[in-house]
């Protein structure tokens, strides 16, 4: 069968490996002689399979030989393509994590110190589709709970590329013409903007993994072999935060680097434990919930990314819960909004209805939750939410991140369709069958809209 490798191939592979091992030890010899500055490791071994340039100071700090620490999977091609996660030097100027901080981090995420992140979380990172392609502006999103964070960040990447870049025209074609450098700048701007807002526009904290372990596991704390190696970097300006993240972007966009978890940690430390405590309420005392062997983000995490505050609910302001407790909702309009539709939702449950602050963001970009699946919906027209004339008929683009989707779907929404079509007999009971979930979601914002899929077969 195809499983058997011919002897000739086998021996040539071994030769390749021998050759690579020889080159690595040769490099190591030179590395001892020089202080090893300015020589990118990827000149010698093809371990950085993106072909990314590794900057001199990162190379000097890295440990040389790739060390997969049990996370990440081996690409099938060959052993030498195991990516080496970017680990920064312990001598860098951050402050090391303490046992107290690591314990608090675990408490605020899981509600206890027994749980650690599941495999799908550990392997999640921020990786773009190919530059100059139909999906050039989009992230590849994985499975599991980290996906909702990747999609929320996706919303801010679109915000940056469409509405923040200087001198760029915001149209759909400009999104598909994004270069690798523009992808990286947009990712750094998105992550920095989110952290800066969470830090109440006073300061942001970025967490990176170092080569040194600062915390040992104890009965009160379960280690996971990277949280114990964190250093925290405080930044006092938004621009400085963006530059710092851009300079260390490899840590967030490399396989094996736990990029999404590092971002979530940075988000929590930027928000601070004190503020987090005030944001949450009796209904949500911690940020993640166990689900099918992994963990899902509670609403508080998504709201912290979207609004800077970890509000556990989607309604406006504060409301009383069933037993008269005060529940915290959304206090401000954010740049990127949120829409939610589930097949089991009832219209009358007031506490589960998304409020106008999330439904009508400052920019026409929404993180969408359809039956627990996350996606992004956006318009390239900045005026959409400020001019009612534009809202009569307009285009929205939908990116769901599922593998069959080769390019974003263009939907045409008509909010001015004819009333008399509504009252046809039998319309009510087939409504759920007639409209796809995406349409139901759009109707939570534009009640009686008709949606034209422009030739795409409705999915989701």
């Amino acid at each position: 069968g195809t499983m058997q490798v011919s002897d000739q191939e086998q021996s040539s592979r071994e030769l390749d490996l021998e050759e690579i091992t020889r080159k690595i030890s040769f490099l190591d010899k030179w590395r001892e002689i020089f202080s090893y500055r300015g020589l990118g490791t990827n000149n010698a071994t093809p371990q950085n399979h993106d072909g990314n340039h590794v900057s001199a100071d990162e190379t000097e700090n890295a440990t040389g030989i790739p060390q997969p620490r049990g996370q990440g999977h081996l690409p099938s091609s060959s052993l030498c393509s195991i990516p080496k996660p970017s680990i920064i030097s312990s001598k860098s100027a951050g402050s090391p994590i303490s046992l107290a901080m690591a314990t608090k981090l675990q408490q605020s995420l899981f509600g206890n110190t027994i749980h650690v992140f599941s495999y799908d979380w550990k392997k999640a990172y921020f990786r773009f589709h190919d530059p100059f392609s139909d999906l050039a502006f989009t992230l590849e999103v994985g499975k599991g709970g980290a996906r909702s964070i990747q999609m929320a960040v996706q919303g801010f990447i679109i915000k940056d590329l469409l509405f923040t870049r200087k001198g760029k025209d915001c149209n759909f074609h400009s999104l598909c013409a994004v270069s690798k450098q523009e992808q990286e700048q947009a990712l750094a701007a998105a992550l920095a903007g989110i952290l800066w807002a969470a830090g109440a526009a006073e300061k942001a904290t970025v967490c990176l993994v170092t080569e040194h372990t600062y915390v040992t596991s104890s009965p009160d704390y379960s280690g996971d072999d990277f949280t114990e190696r964190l250093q925290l970097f405080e930044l006092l300006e938004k621009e400085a935060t963006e530059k710092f993240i851009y300079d260390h972007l490899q840590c967030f966009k490399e396989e094996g680097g736990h990029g999404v978890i590092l971002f979530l940690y940075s988000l929590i430390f930027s928000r601070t434990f004190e503020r987090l405590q005030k944001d949450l309420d009796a209904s949500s005392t911690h940020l993640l919930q166990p689900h099918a062997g992994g963990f899902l983000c509670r609403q508080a995490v998504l709201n912290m990314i979207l609004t800077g505050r970890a509000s556990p609910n989607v309604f406006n302001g504060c409301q009383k819960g069933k037993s008269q407790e005060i529940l915290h909702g959304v206090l401000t309009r954010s740049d990127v909004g949120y829409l939610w539709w589930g097949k089991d939702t009832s219209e009358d449950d007031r506490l589960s209805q998304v409020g106008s602050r999330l439904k009508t963001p400052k920019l026409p970009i929404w993180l969408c939750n359809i039956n627990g699946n996350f996606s992004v919906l956006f318009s390239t027209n900045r005026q959409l939410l400020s001019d009612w004339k534009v809202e009569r008929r307009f285009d929205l683009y939908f990116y769901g991140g599922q593998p069959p989707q080769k390019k974003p779907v263009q939907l045409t929404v008509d909010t001015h369709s004819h009333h008399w079509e509504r009252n046809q007999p039998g319309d009510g009971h087939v409504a759920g069958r007639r409209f796809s979930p995406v349409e139901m979601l759009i109707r939570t914002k534009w009640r009686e809209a008709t949606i034209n899929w422009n030739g795409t077969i409705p999915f989701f």
Side-chain angles (χ1 to χ4, degrees), residues 411-433:
L411 305 166
T412 303
V413 179
D414 188 340
T415 58
H416 216 67
S417 53
H418 308 296
H419 319 297
W420 60 82
E421 291 172 2
R422 261 204 329 267
N423 306 324
Q424 285 172 1
D427 207 27
H429 68 271
V430 291
R433 270 214 307 276

Side-chain angles (χ1 to χ4, degrees), residues 222-344:
S222 315
D224 53 24
D225 194 38
F226 64 94
T227 308
E228 302 84 82
R229 297 189 288 140
L230 292 182
Q231 274 194 26
L232 282 63
F233 297 84
E234 282 205 341
L235 296 134
L236 301 174
E237 286 166 351
K238 189 178 181 182
E239 285 69 32
T241 309
E242 196 172 318
K243 185 183 182 326
F244 183 84
I245 291 178
Y246 186 73
D247 290 344
H248 295 89
L249 204 58
Q250 298 299 24
C251 302
F252 296 96
K253 65 184 274 289
E254 245 176 31
E255 200 172 342
H258 304 94
V260 173
I261 297 178
L262 280 185
F263 169 63
L264 179 55
Y265 282 174
S266 304
L267 189 63
I268 292 170
F269 281 119
S270 295
R271 189 68 194 138
T272 73
F273 293 120
E274 295 72 44
R275 288 198 195 106
L276 203 52
Q277 214 50 55
K278 292 195 184 95
D279 292 344
L280 297 172
D281 59 29
S283 72
S284 268
T285 51
H286 54 275
L287 299 172
L288 302 179
Q289 62 191 43
H291 176 81
F295 295 93
L296 295 180
C297 288
R298 293 173 174 227
Q299 191 64 38
V301 178
L302 305 181
N303 285 353
M304 183 159 45
I305 296 175
L306 297 173
T307 70
R309 265 197 197 85
S311 321
N313 299 288
V314 291
F315 47 73
N316 291 354
C318 291
Q319 296 206 22
K320 283 207 167 93
K322 298 206 167 56
S323 28
Q324 298 302 299
E325 74 280 32
I326 298 290
L327 299 177
H328 301 167
V330 176
L331 303 183
T332 47
R333 272 176 80 194
S334 49
D335 285 341
V336 175
Y338 181 76
L339 296 174
W340 178 63
W341 184 80
K343 54 181 183 297
D344 311 321

Side-chain angles (χ1 to χ4, degrees), residues 65-86:
I65 297 169
Q67 294 164 318
R69 300 180 160 268
Q71 73 254 4
H73 54 281
L74 292 179
S76 52
S77 52
S78 63
L79 281 172
C80 59
S81 65
I82 301 167
K84 170 177 72 9
S86 291

Side-chain angles (χ1 to χ4, degrees), residues 136-439:
F137 65 98
T138 62
L139 296 171
E140 289 182 20
V141 288
K143 299 223 179 332
R147 189 192 163 91
S148 58
I149 294 182
Q150 289 167 318
M151 271 299 180
V153 169
Q154 176 69 67
F156 285 85
I157 289 169
I158 292 170
K159 167 196 156 174
D160 186 69
L161 291 173
L162 270 186
F163 302 119
T164 320
R165 287 193 299 172
K166 305 267 182 295
K168 290 283 182 183
D169 52 338
C170 11
N171 60 33
F172 185 70
H173 298 291
S174 69
L175 287 179
C176 305
V178 170
S179 67
K180 186 168 191 288
Q181 192 190 2
E182 288 173 314
Q183 288 179 334
E184 295 181 346
Q185 284 167 338
L187 177 60
L191 298 178
I194 293 166
L195 296 182
W196 187 249
E202 293 161 5
K203 63 180 180 197
T205 302
V206 180
C207 301
L208 300 177
V209 181
T210 66
E211 52 208 356
H212 185 79
T213 304
Y214 303 106
V215 175
T216 48
S217 293
S218 69
D220 307 320
Y221 170 73
S222 315
D224 53 24
D225 194 38
F226 64 94
T227 308
E228 302 84 82
R229 297 189 288 140
L230 292 182
Q231 274 194 26
L232 282 63
F233 297 84
E234 282 205 341
L235 296 134
L236 301 174
E237 286 166 351
K238 189 178 181 182
E239 285 69 32
T241 309
E242 196 172 318
K243 185 183 182 326
F244 183 84
I245 291 178
Y246 186 73
D247 290 344
H248 295 89
L249 204 58
Q250 298 299 24
C251 302
F252 296 96
K253 65 184 274 289
E254 245 176 31
E255 200 172 342
H258 304 94
V260 173
I261 297 178
L262 280 185
F263 169 63
L264 179 55
Y265 282 174
S266 304
L267 189 63
I268 292 170
F269 281 119
S270 295
R271 189 68 194 138
T272 73
F273 293 120
E274 295 72 44
R275 288 198 195 106
L276 203 52
Q277 214 50 55
K278 292 195 184 95
D279 292 344
L280 297 172
D281 59 29
S283 72
S284 268
T285 51
H286 54 275
L287 299 172
L288 302 179
Q289 62 191 43
H291 176 81
F295 295 93
L296 295 180
C297 288
R298 293 173 174 227
Q299 191 64 38
V301 178
L302 305 181
N303 285 353
M304 183 159 45
I305 296 175
L306 297 173
T307 70
R309 265 197 197 85
S311 321
N313 299 288
V314 291
F315 47 73
N316 291 354
C318 291
Q319 296 206 22
K320 283 207 167 93
K322 298 206 167 56
S323 28
Q324 298 302 299
E325 74 280 32
I326 298 290
L327 299 177
H328 301 167
V330 176
L331 303 183
T332 47
R333 272 176 80 194
S334 49
D335 285 341
V336 175
Y338 181 76
L339 296 174
W340 178 63
W341 184 80
K343 54 181 183 297
D344 311 321
T345 50
S346 75
E347 286 279 310
D348 5 294
D349 181 10
R350 66 183 169 86
L351 295 178
S352 70
Q353 297 298 308
V354 179
S356 61
R357 286 178 184 150
L358 285 175
K359 269 190 193 171
T360 310
K362 293 177 192 160
L363 297 169
I365 306 168
W366 294 266
L367 170 66
C368 304
N369 176 351
I370 302 175
N371 292 320
N373 288 314
F374 287 86
S375 51
V376 171
L377 201 57
F378 65 96
S379 162
T380 54
N381 185 347
R382 187 193 278 268
Q383 302 304 309
L384 176 64
L385 299 171
S386 55
D387 180 354
W388 62 270
K389 290 192 288 299
V390 180
E391 269 189 292
R392 288 175 67 157
R393 189 188 161 94
F394 54 93
D395 284 350
L396 289 177
Y397 293 91
F398 178 80
Y399 174 59
Q402 309 288 35
Q405 192 174 354
K406 297 278 186 287
K407 58 180 186 192
V409 178
Q410 186 175 356
L411 305 166
T412 303
V413 179
D414 188 340
T415 58
H416 216 67
S417 53
H418 308 296
H419 319 297
W420 60 82
E421 291 172 2
R422 261 204 329 267
N423 306 324
Q424 285 172 1
D427 207 27
H429 68 271
V430 291
R433 270 214 307 276
R434 269 189 48 195
F435 303 115
S436 82
V438 175
E439 291 170 331

